[in-house]
Every structure is written in C-alpha cells, then in structure tokens.
Amino acid sequence: MDLLSKILVIGAGGGFGAAIRHMLAGILEGGLNLPAFAAVMGVNVLGAFLIGFVFLLIETRFRPEGNSRLKDLPVSRDLETLDGWPEGDPTLPAVDVFQAKQSAELYSGFFITGILGGMTTFSLFSLLTLNLVQSGEIAWAVFNAIGTVILGFLATQLGFRFGCRWALNRPNQSDPPE
Amino acid sequence: MSTLIAYLFVLLGGAAGALSRFGVQELFRAFTRWPGWVAVFFVNVLGSFLIGLVVAWLQGLIALEHSERLDPLQLYIDTQDADHGLALLAAGFCGAFTTFSSFSLDNHFLAKESRALLLFNMLGSLITCLAAVALGWSVGKAMAG
C-alpha cells in the first residue's frame, strides 16, 4: 500500500478507535458506576483480547506466500490442518499473492494500528494510576497497574485461542477452490 | 461541552495520535535495528509524559482562574476551552498515540522469545510510564503557575 493510503487508513481507524474508547469508557463509568480507572482497564483488556483475535485472523488469511508472523509461535501447531499452512502455496499466481499482501496491510493498518491502537491507551492508564497514588489509594493503584498488564497479557492469549478456532472453522477463503 | 463536539475533538485528536504513533514506528524501523516493541515502549513513555503535562496544565489554569474570581461568563468560556483542550489532546491525541493492545501483543511474542525481555517490557513500561506521567504532571503544574 502506498504511504497516502496508509495515512488515510490509520488516521481514520485511530480517530474511530479513540471515539469508541471515549464511548465505551463513558458507558462503563456512567452506566455501571465504575471508577474511571476501571473503565479504562475494561477497554484496554477488551482491546488486548481483540488484537490477539484480529492479528491471528490476518496472519492466517492473508499470508499465502507463507511468511506469517505466527510461524514460530506455539499456536502455529494448532493451525497445521489449514490449507497451505505455514509454507504457503507456491503455485499461487503472483497477482493473488500481491492482493493478499495488500489486504494484510489494509486490515492490519485499519484494525490493529488504527482502531485497536486508538481504542486502547497506555497514557490514560498511567495518568489514572498516578491520580490514585495522589489521592492516597495505593492499593487500588497497585491493583490497576499490575492487574491491567497481567489481564491484558492473558486476554491476548485468549484472543489467539479464539482466533485459532475461528480460522480452523473457516479455512482460508483467499485460496481458489480446486 | 456538548457531547457531539467532545466526540469530534476526540476523533480528530485520535486520528493525529494514531498517525504520530505510526510515524514514530516507521522512524524506528528506518533508523534503528531495534525490534518493534522498543518503538511501542518509547511511544507509551512519551505519551504518558505528555498526558501528565497537558492535564496538570489545563486543570491548573482553571483552578487558578477559580481562585482569582473572574466574572462568571469568562470563567465559563475558559473552562469550556480547557475541556475542549482535554478532549483533543488528552483523550484524543495522547490516548491514541499510546497503545495497550500492541503492548500486550508484543508481550505475547516476547513470552515466546525470552522471559527476561518479557519482564523487562512489562515492568520497564509500567515503571517508566508512571515516572514519565509524574514528571509531566509536575512540569504541567509549574507551567500553570
């Protein structure tokens, strides 16, 4: 993808992502009466789950030339029944490979760098932790700091697992049928 | 502040923030040989510093005006300006400039690569970002006077 398209896609995704965070955090804070740090924690952990899921789908669907970044991960064992995984299909026409590469860049730019990158945030998390420290609620500050990082890490793993299931149930559609 | 305007500011700030993050990542890729998670680490620290600075500065300005007993209309206008600034710069720009999802994804890969790097990224990001936001906060307070 050319630079201008990337800028457009990431800018649009980032803007919507930030607006989605604003809305979700508002709902969690206003609707469920959660404190601000818990609302941001919820959005961050949700985003961490989604990035695992989306990343796995992109890396299984749009890598027909076999350079998936999942190759060396433990999850790649689960995916071995997928067509052409992980070596790729050498008989595929160059146009199809190019198209898949473009799709991978488009989806990863819009959903991962844009929407999920804009939706999740480290700065608000830091700021709200600082505010907890400033108001003397040290226990909540520690809970927020450690809890967000650990839950986010686990959520990403869960996202990968869900993505694996999804990918296996719906084999690569970019491969032409025999 | 009307909700629509708030969302517009967050949306605009978010677009600029996500693009700046992409720019920093591309610069790191072009000029260094460091792995991708280093760029995310750097972006998160820088964004944490900026959000501390912006929030402490704008909130400090408004608190100062409250204490100076300006006329109510002027105070209302200035408070609204500060709220717009917070939506654009804090919730929008800094919020989207930094990222938690990429950080978690990097941790997922680092866990496979080495325990030491995983711990370094997790604890290092936490400690550095908290220090950065505290530093930004004190700078912002000083700026507000």
Coordinates of all heavy atoms in Angstrom, one line a residue, chain A residues 6-57:
Chain A
K6 N -2.0 4.5 3.4 CA -1.7 4.1 4.8 C -2.1 5.2 5.8 O -2.8 4.9 6.8 CB -0.2 3.8 5.0 CG 0.1 2.3 4.7 CD 1.6 2.1 5.1 CE 2.0 0.7 4.6 NZ 3.4 0.5 4.7
I7 N -1.7 6.4 5.5 CA -2.1 7.6 6.3 C -3.6 7.7 6.5 O -4.1 7.9 7.6 CB -1.4 8.9 5.8 CG1 0.1 8.8 6.0 CG2 -2.0 10.1 6.4 CD1 0.8 10.0 5.4
L8 N -4.3 7.6 5.4 CA -5.7 7.7 5.4 C -6.4 6.6 6.3 O -7.2 6.9 7.1 CB -6.3 7.5 4.0 CG -7.1 8.7 3.5 CD1 -6.6 9.0 2.1 CD2 -8.5 8.4 3.5
V9 N -5.9 5.3 6.1 CA -6.5 4.2 6.7 C -6.2 4.3 8.2 O -7.1 4.1 9.1 CB -5.9 2.9 6.1 CG1 -6.2 1.7 7.0 CG2 -6.6 2.7 4.8
I10 N -4.9 4.6 8.6 CA -4.6 4.6 10.0 C -5.2 5.8 10.7 O -5.7 5.7 11.9 CB -3.0 4.6 10.2 CG1 -2.5 3.3 9.7 CG2 -2.6 4.9 11.6 CD1 -0.9 3.3 9.6
G11 N -5.3 7.0 10.0 CA -5.9 8.1 10.6 C -7.4 7.9 10.9 O -7.9 8.2 12.0
A12 N -8.1 7.3 9.9 CA -9.5 7.0 10.1 C -9.7 6.0 11.2 O -10.5 6.2 12.1 CB -10.1 6.5 8.8
G13 N -8.9 5.0 11.2 CA -9.0 3.9 12.2 C -8.7 4.5 13.6 O -9.4 4.2 14.6
G14 N -7.6 5.3 13.7 CA -7.3 5.9 15.0 C -8.3 6.8 15.6 O -8.6 6.8 16.7
G15 N -8.9 7.6 14.7 CA -10.0 8.5 15.1 C -11.2 7.8 15.6 O -11.6 8.0 16.7
F16 N -11.6 6.8 14.9 CA -12.8 6.0 15.3 C -12.4 5.2 16.6 O -13.3 5.1 17.5 CB -13.3 5.1 14.2 CG -14.1 5.8 13.2 CD1 -13.7 5.8 11.8 CD2 -15.2 6.5 13.5 CE1 -14.4 6.4 10.9 CE2 -15.9 7.2 12.5 CZ -15.5 7.2 11.2
G17 N -11.2 4.7 16.6 CA -10.8 3.9 17.8 C -10.9 4.8 19.1 O -11.4 4.3 20.1
A18 N -10.4 6.0 19.0 CA -10.4 6.9 20.1 C -11.8 7.2 20.5 O -12.2 7.3 21.7 CB -9.6 8.1 19.9
A19 N -12.7 7.5 19.5 CA -14.1 7.8 19.8 C -14.8 6.6 20.4 O -15.6 6.8 21.4 CB -14.8 8.2 18.5
I20 N -14.5 5.4 20.0 CA -15.1 4.2 20.6 C -14.6 4.0 22.0 O -15.4 3.7 22.9 CB -14.6 2.9 19.8 CG1 -15.3 2.9 18.4 CG2 -15.0 1.6 20.5 CD1 -14.7 1.9 17.4
R21 N -13.4 4.3 22.3 CA -12.9 4.3 23.7 C -13.6 5.3 24.6 O -14.1 4.9 25.7 CB -11.4 4.5 23.8 CG -10.9 5.0 25.2 CD -9.4 4.9 25.3 NE -8.7 5.4 24.2 CZ -8.5 6.7 24.0 NH1 -9.0 7.6 24.8 NH2 -7.9 7.1 22.9
H22 N -13.8 6.5 24.0 CA -14.5 7.5 24.8 C -15.9 7.1 25.1 O -16.4 7.3 26.2 CB -14.5 8.8 23.9 CG -14.7 10.0 24.7 ND1 -13.8 10.5 25.6 CD2 -15.7 11.0 24.7 CE1 -14.2 11.6 26.2 NE2 -15.3 11.9 25.6
M23 N -16.5 6.4 24.1 CA -17.9 6.0 24.3 C -18.0 4.8 25.3 O -18.8 4.9 26.3 CB -18.5 5.6 23.0 CG -20.0 5.3 23.0 SD -20.5 4.8 21.4 CE -19.9 3.1 21.3
L24 N -17.2 3.8 25.1 CA -17.2 2.6 26.0 C -16.8 3.0 27.4 O -17.5 2.6 28.4 CB -16.2 1.6 25.5 CG -16.6 0.7 24.3 CD1 -15.5 -0.3 23.9 CD2 -17.9 0.0 24.6
A25 N -15.8 3.9 27.6 CA -15.4 4.3 28.9 C -16.5 5.1 29.6 O -16.8 4.9 30.8 CB -14.1 5.1 28.9
G26 N -17.2 5.9 28.7 CA -18.4 6.6 29.3 C -19.5 5.7 29.7 O -20.1 6.0 30.8
I27 N -19.7 4.7 28.9 CA -20.8 3.7 29.3 C -20.4 3.0 30.6 O -21.3 2.9 31.5 CB -21.1 2.7 28.2 CG1 -21.7 3.4 27.0 CG2 -21.9 1.6 28.6 CD1 -21.8 2.6 25.7
L28 N -19.2 2.5 30.7 CA -18.7 1.8 31.9 C -18.8 2.7 33.1 O -19.1 2.3 34.2 CB -17.3 1.2 31.7 CG -17.2 0.1 30.7 CD1 -15.7 -0.3 30.5 CD2 -18.0 -1.1 31.2
E29 N -18.4 4.0 32.9 CA -18.3 4.9 34.0 C -19.7 5.3 34.4 O -20.1 5.3 35.6 CB -17.5 6.1 33.7 CG -16.2 6.2 34.3 CD -15.5 7.5 34.0 OE1 -14.9 7.6 32.9 OE2 -15.6 8.5 34.9
G30 N -20.5 5.8 33.4 CA -21.8 6.3 33.7 C -22.9 5.3 34.0 O -23.6 5.4 34.9
G31 N -22.9 4.2 33.1 CA -23.9 3.2 33.2 C -23.7 2.2 34.4 O -24.6 1.9 35.1
L32 N -22.4 1.8 34.5 CA -22.2 0.8 35.5 C -21.6 1.4 36.8 O -21.3 0.7 37.8 CB -21.2 -0.3 35.0 CG -21.7 -1.1 33.8 CD1 -20.6 -2.1 33.4 CD2 -23.0 -1.8 34.2
N33 N -21.4 2.7 36.8 CA -20.9 3.4 38.0 C -19.5 2.9 38.4 O -19.1 2.9 39.6 CB -21.8 3.2 39.2 CG -22.8 4.4 39.2 OD1 -22.5 5.5 38.8 ND2 -24.0 4.1 39.7
L34 N -18.7 2.5 37.4 CA -17.3 2.1 37.7 C -16.4 3.4 37.9 O -16.7 4.4 37.3 CB -16.8 1.3 36.6 CG -17.3 -0.2 36.5 CD1 -16.8 -0.8 35.2 CD2 -17.0 -1.0 37.7
P35 N -15.4 3.3 38.7 CA -14.4 4.4 38.7 C -13.7 4.5 37.4 O -13.6 3.5 36.6 CB -13.5 4.0 39.8 CG -13.6 2.6 40.0 CD -15.0 2.2 39.6
A36 N -13.1 5.7 37.1 CA -12.5 5.9 35.8 C -11.4 4.9 35.4 O -11.4 4.4 34.3 CB -11.9 7.3 35.7
F37 N -10.6 4.5 36.4 CA -9.5 3.6 36.1 C -10.0 2.3 35.7 O -9.5 1.6 34.8 CB -8.5 3.5 37.3 CG -9.0 2.7 38.4 CD1 -8.7 1.3 38.4 CD2 -9.6 3.2 39.5 CE1 -9.1 0.5 39.5 CE2 -10.0 2.4 40.6 CZ -9.8 1.0 40.5
A38 N -11.1 1.8 36.3 CA -11.7 0.5 36.0 C -12.3 0.5 34.6 O -12.2 -0.5 33.8 CB -12.8 0.1 37.0
A39 N -12.9 1.7 34.2 CA -13.4 1.8 32.8 C -12.3 1.7 31.8 O -12.4 0.9 30.8 CB -14.2 3.1 32.7
V40 N -11.2 2.4 32.0 CA -10.1 2.3 31.1 C -9.5 0.9 31.1 O -9.1 0.4 30.0 CB -9.0 3.4 31.4 CG1 -7.8 3.2 30.6 CG2 -9.6 4.8 31.1
M41 N -9.4 0.3 32.3 CA -8.9 -1.1 32.3 C -9.8 -2.0 31.5 O -9.3 -2.8 30.7 CB -8.9 -1.5 33.8 CG -8.3 -2.9 34.1 SD -8.7 -3.4 35.8 CE -7.2 -3.9 36.4
G42 N -11.1 -1.9 31.6 CA -12.0 -2.7 30.8 C -11.8 -2.5 29.3 O -11.7 -3.5 28.6
V43 N -11.7 -1.3 28.9 CA -11.4 -1.0 27.4 C -10.1 -1.6 27.0 O -10.0 -2.2 25.9 CB -11.5 0.5 27.1 CG1 -11.2 0.7 25.7 CG2 -12.9 1.0 27.5
N44 N -9.1 -1.4 27.8 CA -7.7 -1.9 27.5 C -7.7 -3.4 27.4 O -7.1 -4.0 26.4 CB -6.7 -1.4 28.5 CG -6.2 -0.1 28.2 OD1 -6.3 0.4 27.1 ND2 -5.6 0.6 29.2
V45 N -8.3 -4.1 28.3 CA -8.3 -5.6 28.3 C -9.1 -6.1 27.1 O -8.7 -7.0 26.4 CB -8.8 -6.1 29.6 CG1 -9.0 -7.6 29.6 CG2 -7.9 -5.8 30.8
L46 N -10.3 -5.4 26.8 CA -11.0 -5.8 25.6 C -10.2 -5.6 24.4 O -10.2 -6.5 23.5 CB -12.3 -4.9 25.6 CG -13.2 -5.1 24.3 CD1 -13.8 -6.5 24.3 CD2 -14.2 -4.1 24.2
G47 N -9.5 -4.5 24.3 CA -8.6 -4.3 23.1 C -7.5 -5.3 23.0 O -7.2 -5.8 21.9
A48 N -7.0 -5.7 24.1 CA -5.9 -6.7 24.1 C -6.4 -8.1 23.6 O -5.8 -8.8 22.9 CB -5.3 -6.9 25.5
F49 N -7.7 -8.4 24.0 CA -8.3 -9.6 23.5 C -8.5 -9.5 22.0 O -8.1 -10.4 21.3 CB -9.7 -9.9 24.2 CG -10.5 -11.0 23.6 CD1 -10.2 -12.3 23.9 CD2 -11.5 -10.6 22.7 CE1 -11.0 -13.3 23.3 CE2 -12.3 -11.6 22.1 CZ -12.0 -13.0 22.4
L50 N -9.1 -8.4 21.6 CA -9.4 -8.3 20.2 C -8.1 -8.3 19.3 O -8.1 -8.8 18.2 CB -10.2 -7.0 19.9 CG -11.6 -7.0 20.4 CD1 -12.3 -5.6 20.3 CD2 -12.4 -8.1 19.7
I51 N -7.0 -7.7 19.8 CA -5.8 -7.7 19.0 C -5.3 -9.1 18.7 O -4.8 -9.4 17.6 CB -4.7 -6.7 19.5 CG1 -3.8 -6.3 18.4 CG2 -3.8 -7.4 20.6 CD1 -2.8 -5.2 18.8
G52 N -5.4 -10.0 19.8 CA -4.9 -11.3 19.6 C -5.8 -12.0 18.5 O -5.3 -12.7 17.6
F53 N -7.1 -11.8 18.6 CA -8.0 -12.4 17.7 C -7.8 -11.9 16.2 O -7.6 -12.7 15.3 CB -9.5 -12.0 18.1 CG -10.6 -12.7 17.3 CD1 -10.9 -14.0 17.5 CD2 -11.3 -11.9 16.4 CE1 -11.9 -14.6 16.7 CE2 -12.3 -12.4 15.7 CZ -12.6 -13.8 15.8
V54 N -7.8 -10.6 16.1 CA -7.6 -10.0 14.7 C -6.3 -10.3 14.1 O -6.2 -10.6 12.9 CB -7.9 -8.4 14.8 CG1 -7.5 -7.8 13.5 CG2 -9.3 -8.1 15.2
F55 N -5.2 -10.2 14.9 CA -3.9 -10.5 14.4 C -3.8 -11.9 13.9 O -3.3 -12.2 12.8 CB -2.9 -10.3 15.6 CG -1.4 -10.4 15.1 CD1 -0.8 -9.4 14.5 CD2 -0.8 -11.6 15.3 CE1 0.5 -9.5 14.1 CE2 0.6 -11.7 14.9 CZ 1.2 -10.7 14.3
L56 N -4.4 -12.9 14.6 CA -4.4 -14.2 14.2 C -5.1 -14.4 12.9 O -4.7 -15.1 12.0 CB -4.9 -15.2 15.2 CG -4.6 -16.6 14.9 CD1 -3.9 -17.3 16.0 CD2 -5.8 -17.4 14.4
L57 N -6.3 -13.8 12.8 CA -7.1 -13.9 11.6 C -6.3 -13.3 10.4 O -6.3 -14.0 9.3 CB -8.4 -13.2 11.7 CG -9.5 -13.9 12.6 CD1 -10.8 -13.3 12.3 CD2 -9.5 -15.4 12.2

